[in-house]
Amino acid sequence: MSTQVMMPATTGSPAPPQARGTIPAPPRGGRGKGSRTLPYLLLLPAAVLLAVVLGYPIVRLVGLSLNRAKLRDLVKGTESWNNFANYTAILSDATFWAVLGRTIVFAAACVVATMVLGMMLALLLAKLGRVVRLILSISLLMAWSTPQVTATQVWQWLFDTRYGLVNWALVRAGLTGFDNHSWLAAPASLLTVAGAAVVWGALPFVALTLYAGRTQIDESLYEAAGMDGATPWQAFRSITVPMLAPIITMLAALSTIWDFRVFTQVYLLQQAGGITSETNLISIHAYRTSFSGNDFGSGAAISVVMVLVLAGFSIFYVRRMLKEVQS
C-alpha cells in the first residue's frame, strides 16, 4: 500500500530568507504628503515670529517716511500724507550725501581692518600651543562680551587729553607734540578712535570663526605645498584663502552690515566733546533729524535709504558667496 505525502498549497514562490543584520527596504511609493509638509510646519512658528518682530517695524517705518510727522503728530496719531516729499528733501540735501559718503568710507575701513587683523589672529591661534591658545581665546571672548558703552568709555579714557594712556606713551617715546593732545577735536581722529573701538569689538568673532574654519583644512595640503617649494605666503594665498573664501565672504557681509549702522561708539565720543556736524554717520544723522530736528518723517526716510543700501550690499555678498560655494 503506497502512501502519498500531501504538500501545503502555496499561491506563489516562497520568499527568500532575510539575511541577519540587514535593514528592510522602505515601502515603495515615496514619502507621504505629511512628511513633505512637515519641514514647512516646523519653520512656520519662526517665520511668523520674524514677520511680527521685523516685518511690522519695517512696514511702519516705510509708512512713516511717506508722512509729515512731528512728535505731537506721533503722540496724537495725526500724521499727514505727503507722498515722497521726505525722500525728495533728503536726496536733494548735500548734508545727507556727505554723511552717506562718510559712512561708507568709515564702514569700509572698519571692515578691512577687522578682516585683516582677524585673519592674522586666526593664523596665530593655529600656530600656538594648547594652553596659550586657550588663554588667548578666553581673552577674545571677554573682549567680545564687553558692552559697547563700557568699551567706548575705556577707549575714551585711553585717548583722554590729559590722563590718556596713548598720549602718555607717545610723549614717553619722544613725541612731545602729543602732550595734552585732543583726539576728539578733529573729525578724522575722532572717527579713528571710534573705528578702533568698533574693530576691537568685532575682532573676536571674526578671528575665532576664521580659526574654526582653518582647523578644517587638511594639514597634508600645506605639507605638499612645502615639499613643492611654496613659501608660507604662497601657501596662504593658494590654500588658506580659497578654502576659507565662503567664510570670509560671510564675515565680510556681516561686518559691513554691523559697521554701516554704527551708532554707539561715535555718538558717545561726540558727547564727550567731539565735533558733531562733521562726524555724523547715517544712523546718527537719522536719529538727530528725528529727535533733535523733530522731523520723524525725514528721519524715517533716511532710515529706509540706509536699509536699501544695506540690502544692496547683502545681495552682492550673498550672490558672491553662492558662486564660491558652487565653484
Side-chain angles (χ1 to χ4, degrees):
M1 182 176 178
S2 63
T3 60
Q4 184 177 3
V5 180
M6 302 297 295
M7 300 297 292
T10 58
T11 59
S13 59
Q18 182 177 345
R20 293 184 179 181
T22 59
I23 301 175
R28 296 181 179 180
R31 295 182 297 178
K33 182 178 180 180
S35 62
R36 291 196 299 267
T37 59
L38 180 60
Y40 299 99
L41 292 177
L42 295 176
L43 291 175
L44 183 60
V48 173
L49 182 61
L50 287 175
V52 173
V53 175
L54 298 178
Y56 173 75
I58 293 177
V59 172
R60 175 59 177 160
L61 180 67
V62 174
L64 187 61
S65 68
L66 299 174
N67 285 270
R68 182 182 294 106
K70 306 293 183 181
L71 180 59
R72 180 180 59 183
D73 299 323
L74 292 179
V75 174
K76 295 183 178 181
T78 58
E79 303 96 334
S80 58
W81 182 267
N82 64 349
N83 294 322
F84 295 95
N86 293 327
Y87 291 96
T88 303
I90 64 172
L91 294 178
S92 60
D93 185 11
T95 302
F96 169 78
W97 292 107
V99 170
L100 180 60
R102 185 184 305 126
T103 305
I104 294 176
V105 173
F106 178 84
C110 290
V111 170
V112 171
T114 302
M115 296 304 299
V116 171
L117 295 177
M119 179 63 76
M120 294 173 63
L121 275 176
L123 297 178
L124 178 62
L125 287 170
K127 297 296 183 181
L128 294 175
R130 180 177 300 178
V131 177
V132 181
R133 183 191 304 124
L134 178 62
I135 296 174
L136 182 56
S137 299
I138 294 175
S139 301
L140 290 173
L141 289 175
M142 292 177 64
W144 186 58
S145 62
T146 304
Q148 293 182 356
V149 175
T150 305
T152 306
Q153 294 294 334
V154 172
W155 282 92
Q156 179 183 337
W157 172 78
L158 289 174
F159 288 88
D160 186 75
T161 303
R162 297 182 59 185
Y163 307 106
L165 181 62
V166 174
N167 283 348
W168 175 83
L170 292 175
V171 171
R172 292 293 297 268
L175 303 176
T176 57
F178 286 93
D179 187 19
N180 291 329
H181 176 72
S182 177
W183 291 88
L184 306 182
S189 58
L190 185 147
L191 292 176
T192 300
V193 176
V198 170
V199 172
W200 181 82
L203 195 57
F205 175 77
V206 174
L208 293 176
T209 304
L210 289 174
Y211 167 68
R214 171 61 180 80
T215 59
Q216 302 305 310
I217 301 177
D218 193 352
E219 292 295 332
S220 62
L221 297 176
Y222 294 98
E223 296 176 358
M227 294 178 63
D228 290 338
T231 63
W233 168 251
Q234 292 173 336
F236 169 77
R237 188 178 58 184
S238 303
I239 300 175
T240 306
V241 174
M243 296 291 288
L244 297 181
I247 300 178
I248 294 174
T249 303
M250 179 196 68
L251 292 175
L254 293 175
S255 298
T256 301
I257 295 173
W258 295 336
D259 296 344
F260 192 84
R261 58 183 183 87
V262 164
F263 180 90
T264 304
Q265 293 86 343
V266 178
Y267 182 78
L268 290 179
L269 292 177
Q270 289 178 343
Q271 297 297 106
I275 301 175
T276 301
S277 60
E278 300 180 16
T279 56
N280 277 338
L281 301 182
I282 191 168
S283 57
I284 303 176
H285 184 56
Y287 171 80
R288 295 189 185 278
T289 301
S290 300
F291 291 92
S292 300
N294 194 22
D295 189 354
F296 290 88
S298 297
I302 296 173
S303 300
V304 170
V305 173
M306 181 173 64
V307 171
L308 293 176
V309 173
L310 287 177
F313 280 124
S314 301
I315 293 173
F316 168 76
Y317 280 118
V318 169
R319 293 184 62 182
R320 181 173 179 177
M321 184 169 58
L322 291 177
K323 291 181 179 179
E324 292 173 349
V325 172
Q326 295 174 357
S327 61

